[in-house]
Amino acid sequence: MPAEDTNAERPGDARAAEAPAPQDAHAARVSDAPDGITVRDPVSAPDAKGRPRRTTRRFPLFTRDTARPEGGGRAAAGDAPAPARQWPMLTVVLLVALGLLLTSLGVFRWGLVLVGAALLLGAVLRWTMPRVGMLAVRSRFTDIATYGVFGLSIALLALMAQPNPVLEIPFLKDTLHFTVS
């Protein structure tokens, strides 16, 4: 059962009806709408009856919607064609597709290294660019960590794959020996 918002308006509550308008310069005030809905500020979106859901700037106990991740805007101007606006995401996706194509053609090691490198490129783009379009899925830190860990893991595992591994880690053979026997 969700916790009740202590600042929500209740029938007969004079305190909520007399709430002063915010003094913030960024506060939006829309009162001339045809349906009579008043929005006092960005965090007091109206409910189904037109009353503000919250009259406080505190965050609710339970989140009911999601915000767009920072950096989730277009990577190019709005008048640019759609592929140009999403070039970071398209670059990563095309490199992953090329890596998977190489893997299916029998060059599995270098195809998977390319997949890992594409994910690492996605992490670098997410870190260095302020706007990366649809490459921004979660918060910046989470995206960088996810792309980086998965990219590094795929690339390292591809380099260590048998037969004839390119990369050998000495303690890995001893670890495998003690866990299997």
Side-chain angles (χ1 to χ4, degrees), residues 77-122:
D79 57 349
R85 291 192 305 257
Q86 298 298 331
W87 72 265
M89 181 66 172
L90 287 175
T91 303
V92 172
V93 167
L94 289 175
L95 284 174
V96 167
L98 181 63
L100 292 176
L101 178 67
L102 286 175
T103 302
S104 69
L105 293 175
V107 192
F108 82 96
R109 184 183 318 270
W110 300 113
L112 289 179
V113 167
L114 184 59
V115 169
L119 290 176
L120 288 172
L121 175 68

Side-chain angles (χ1 to χ4, degrees), residues 44-58:
S44 67
D47 64 2
K49 295 180 183 174
R51 296 181 308 237
R53 283 186 279 174
R54 294 187 302 144
T55 57
T56 179
R57 291 182 59 101
R58 290 184 181 176

Side-chain angles (χ1 to χ4, degrees), residues 2-150:
E4 184 178 327
D5 189 356
T6 58
N7 294 321
E9 185 177 339
R10 293 185 195 105
D13 190 0
R15 179 182 50 142
E18 297 172 7
Q23 301 299 323
D24 189 9
H26 299 292
R29 187 163 186 88
V30 179
S31 60
D32 54 347
D35 54 3
I37 295 175
T38 301
V39 178
R40 291 189 182 95
D41 59 11
V43 296
S44 67
D47 64 2
K49 295 180 183 174
R51 296 181 308 237
R53 283 186 279 174
R54 294 187 302 144
T55 57
T56 179
R57 291 182 59 101
R58 290 184 181 176
F59 290 106
L61 185 60
F62 296 102
T63 306
R64 291 184 176 83
D65 56 357
T66 58
R68 189 171 170 182
E70 72 270 8
R74 297 176 176 141
D79 57 349
R85 291 192 305 257
Q86 298 298 331
W87 72 265
M89 181 66 172
L90 287 175
T91 303
V92 172
V93 167
L94 289 175
L95 284 174
V96 167
L98 181 63
L100 292 176
L101 178 67
L102 286 175
T103 302
S104 69
L105 293 175
V107 192
F108 82 96
R109 184 183 318 270
W110 300 113
L112 289 179
V113 167
L114 184 59
V115 169
L119 290 176
L120 288 172
L121 175 68
V124 169
L125 288 174
R126 186 70 171 104
W127 184 20
T128 58
M129 294 184 56
R131 295 186 173 271
V132 289
M134 290 191 302
L135 193 61
V137 179
R138 298 157 294 264
S139 71
R140 186 177 303 265
F141 174 78
T142 306
D143 282 341
I144 292 169
T146 304
Y147 293 143
V149 166
F150 284 151

